[in-house]
Amino acid sequence: MYRWKSRFHEEEGDRADKPRRYGVTEMRVPSYTLFTQNLLQDTFESMGQFVDGLKFTGGSNSMMPKSFIKDVTDMAHKHNVYVCTGDWAEHLLRKGPSGFKEYIEECTQMGFDTVEFNMGSLGFPEETLLRFVRLIKNAGLKAKPQFSVKFEKSDIPKTGNRAYGSYVVPTPQTSEMIEDLDLLIKRAERCLEAGADMIMIDADDVCKYADTVRSDIIANVIGRLGLEKTMFEASNAKTSEWFINQYGPRVNLFVDQVQVLNLECLRGQNLGNRQRSVLGASSFLF
């Protein structure tokens, strides 16, 4: 099995055996093409050692038979790959908060390991959203709240405590969206305190395209929440390269199936460059 190694691996982030705490590569289920179990099996057999997680997106799991999804999750587990729901929960909560518990039970039955849900689009009070995190953890699953850097203007507290749990006088809903990085970070911190395992950052307005990456937002999120607790979507190879060059092989990225091998090469190349820098600097000591 291919694994890049370094005598500086403790410091530089060697590709440790799965499950990894950092340098996680989460792969999108290839729903944009004719998705078959054979396609996924071939992917796992050829480069499964580079894939940490498999995520259903765009509600693709809602259009597949439950028996098929269970076969997929079983296959992923055989290759030590966790399976994530994607942010489809908001479309399944017409029954109110009680519907979320039923959703978690169904996720458990179908073999999902991680539940991702969009904290900005569920439309529930802040304490209810934190309760969702605890419900996921109590079910033995991992919780991955997703955040966007933009909030509806009416949802942004004007004064006082801006974290979850503070009482905010209701205001009329508007369609105006405002960027508020501080509010994103404070709410993400509360989710981590409630037991969330990872914070997913929406690529829109942050890192959807390599030439418009918001490095200021990314630096603040990673600086406050930690590299191991954050995940970003890399929508193309150039975006992946930007993240690896800026933050090294330890950064957690969500990518398409066709990017997995390229991303692993970038992680290894970045480590090699760091090794050469360390060795070059140490040569002056002798």
Side-chain angles (χ1 to χ4, degrees):
M1 179 183 294
Y2 168 76
R3 293 183 64 202
W4 41 267
K5 297 286 290 182
S6 164
R7 71 187 184 92
F8 298 102
H9 65 275
E10 291 296 331
E11 297 83 6
E12 297 297 322
D14 172 43
R15 298 304 275 160
D17 292 331
K18 297 189 293 185
R20 303 182 179 102
R21 295 183 297 106
Y22 48 77
V24 172
T25 295
E26 189 171 271
M27 185 185 82
R28 187 193 315 271
V29 166
S31 54
Y32 47 80
T33 185
L34 182 60
F35 173 41
T36 66
Q37 291 187 36
N38 289 337
L39 171 62
L40 198 57
Q41 181 70 35
D42 290 344
T43 300
F44 286 149
E45 290 181 354
S46 62
M47 52 188 178
Q49 67 265 39
F50 308 138
V51 179
D52 297 275
L54 178 73
K55 180 162 72 173
F56 288 83
T57 60
S60 56
N61 54 314
S62 67
M63 297 182 286
M64 300 176 186
K66 292 182 180 180
S67 58
F68 181 84
I69 295 177
K70 187 64 169 64
D71 289 341
V72 169
T73 58
D74 288 344
M75 183 191 307
H77 293 158
K78 290 179 181 178
H79 293 271
N80 201 12
V81 173
Y82 71 81
V83 188
C84 180
T85 61
D87 59 342
W88 189 241
E90 58 265 34
H91 300 282
L92 304 175
L93 293 175
R94 297 183 180 90
K95 299 179 182 179
S98 62
F100 195 81
K101 187 174 182 180
E102 297 177 10
Y103 173 60
I104 298 303
E105 292 173 352
E106 186 174 278
C107 288
T108 303
Q109 294 170 2
M110 290 191 293
F112 285 100
D113 306 283
T114 301
V115 175
E116 181 177 307
F117 58 102
N118 194 320
M119 300 295 281
S121 63
L122 290 178
F124 290 112
E126 298 170 345
E127 283 300 328
T128 300
L129 296 173
L130 290 176
R131 187 167 70 86
F132 288 166
V133 173
R134 290 188 283 267
L135 281 173
I136 294 170
K137 298 299 294 182
N138 289 339
L141 304 177
K142 291 186 177 182
K144 188 170 64 165
Q146 178 183 350
F147 283 91
S148 171
V149 73
K150 286 188 175 180
F151 299 83
E152 286 191 14
K153 183 178 180 181
S154 56
D155 291 337
I156 299 178
K158 299 295 186 298
T159 59
N161 190 343
R162 292 153 56 86
Y164 277 136
S166 60
Y167 175 74
V168 179
V169 178
T171 57
Q173 291 291 308
T174 69
S175 58
E176 183 178 358
M177 304 297 288
I178 297 179
E179 185 176 295
D180 195 325
L181 176 60
D182 184 62
L183 185 59
L184 181 160
I185 292 174
K186 287 185 176 181
R187 290 184 168 181
E189 287 174 337
R190 285 294 302 273
C191 285
L192 291 173
E193 291 172 0
D197 300 271
M198 185 82 72
I199 300 297
M200 183 74 195
I201 303 299
D202 193 342
D204 289 344
D205 304 309
V206 176
C207 55
K208 191 169 186 178
Y209 304 105
D211 56 349
T212 57
V213 169
R214 292 290 305 276
S215 57
D216 56 332
I217 292 176
I218 295 170
N220 273 281
V221 168
I222 290 177
R224 292 277 295 275
L225 303 180
L227 195 64
E228 296 179 9
K229 291 296 184 179
T230 51
M231 178 175 287
F232 299 87
E233 179 179 2
S235 54
N236 54 61
K238 289 185 177 180
T239 308
S240 295
E241 185 176 4
W242 184 91
F243 273 106
I244 299 299
N245 287 339
Q246 292 293 319
Y247 294 100
R250 288 174 176 256
V251 66
N252 305 313
L253 296 177
F254 169 53
V255 300
D256 285 334
Q257 173 205 13
V258 294
Q259 293 177 239
V260 170
L261 190 57
N262 178 70
L263 174 56
E264 191 67 22
C265 291
L266 287 171
R267 294 189 193 276
Q269 180 181 4
N270 184 268
L271 180 68
N273 291 336
R274 290 174 176 229
Q275 278 183 244
R276 287 189 287 273
S277 297
V278 172
L279 289 171
S282 63
S283 65
F284 291 101
L285 301 178
F286 300 96

